[in-house]
Amino acid sequence: PEAHAGEAVTIISNQTPFYAESGGQMGDTGTITAPGLSIAVSDTSKPLGRLHAHVARVEDGVVRVGDAVRLAIDAGRRAQLRRAHSATHLLHAALRRRLGGHVTQKGSLVAPDRLRFDFSHPHALTPEDIAAIEAEVNARILENSPVSTRLMTPEAAVAAGALALFGEKYGEEVRVLSMGQLDGADYSVELCGGTHVGALGDIGLMRIVSESAVAAGVRRV
């Protein structure tokens, strides 16, 4: 029924601004507060699907079931996550354009300080490939076009050209993220529930620092 200062807790609220870890994007951190109460949130997860669980520690005061509290994310960290996640979409599109339509996402990590992207491809990228992919992504970033978000049915989204990840479970309504323009068409169109920048220039710059194999037919940048 209650938790005191120093205790580790998992908190469920009837609504939350926190993003729970999903689709490779790390969960939000932040604070939960009330008069005389301070709780530090170190992670957010979705152990039962849509239900958000705030993994936290009580720093000051006592928290009780039914308390009214204020939830606030770490906005600076969220901004870093948005940049990395949007860069992942541009990277995916650039890989497909450079290497071919067989390239599909096999895993990803969206962290505040970096991104990691696994994709299907039978052999190592050449230095020329890496340079071309970097240049194309950064060209889209420099154009600073706004990111478009639409809510659609999964069927309508795929019909509109959105990339859906094989094995992912989608509900009756999905978010479709469109980013960048090239030759009069959207550069990247994907189904995604993550957080993203408002305009591509917010990303700053994308640099590939390593490329390796993680499994047969799967590469990692």
Side-chain angles (χ1 to χ4, degrees), residues 22 47 58 71 76 90 100 108-109 124 136 143 155-156 168:
S22 180
V58 181
L71 293 87
L90 295 180
S108 70
L109 171 69
E136 187 158 298
E143 289 169 356
E155 295 76 18
E168 283 283 316

Side-chain angles (χ1 to χ4, degrees), residues 122-210:
H123 50 75
L125 273 61
T126 66
E128 293 77 17
D129 288 332
I130 291 173
I133 290 163
E134 279 187 354
E136 187 158 298
V137 169
N138 288 319
R140 302 288 80 74
I141 293 171
L142 283 170
E143 289 169 356
N144 196 29
S145 60
V147 173
S148 166
T149 304
R150 292 172 291 168
L151 295 177
M152 308 171 71
T153 66
E155 295 76 18
V158 172
L163 277 178
L165 300 184
F166 180 77
E168 283 283 316
K169 295 180 180 178
Y170 297 105
E172 295 180 0
E173 190 175 63
V174 294
R175 291 174 72 232
V176 180
L177 274 291
S178 301
M179 299 182 186
Q181 291 286 314
L182 188 64
D183 300 328
D186 288 327
Y187 184 74
S188 167
V189 184
E190 291 193 36
L191 307 186
C192 185
T195 65
H196 289 275
V197 296
L200 294 180
D202 295 343
I203 295 170
L205 190 70
M206 199 272 310
R207 172 121 175 109
I208 296 174
V209 297
S210 69

Side-chain angles (χ1 to χ4, degrees), residues 2-10 38-40 56-63:
E2 63 183 38
H4 298 253
E7 291 189 276
V9 290
T10 299
S38 177
I39 300 171
R57 181 173 294 276
V58 181
E59 294 191 324
D60 188 42
V62 180
V63 61

Side-chain angles (χ1 to χ4, degrees), residues 77-108:
R77 183 176 178 275
R78 165 72 77 83
Q80 293 175 302
L81 288 164
R82 288 202 311 261
R83 290 196 290 269
H85 204 155
S86 295
T88 299
H89 282 223
L90 295 180
L91 174 62
H92 192 186
L95 287 165
R96 287 173 61 85
R97 284 178 50 81
R98 176 72 181 186
L99 306 176
H102 65 279
V103 170
T104 55
Q105 180 176 333
K106 294 298 182 183
S108 70

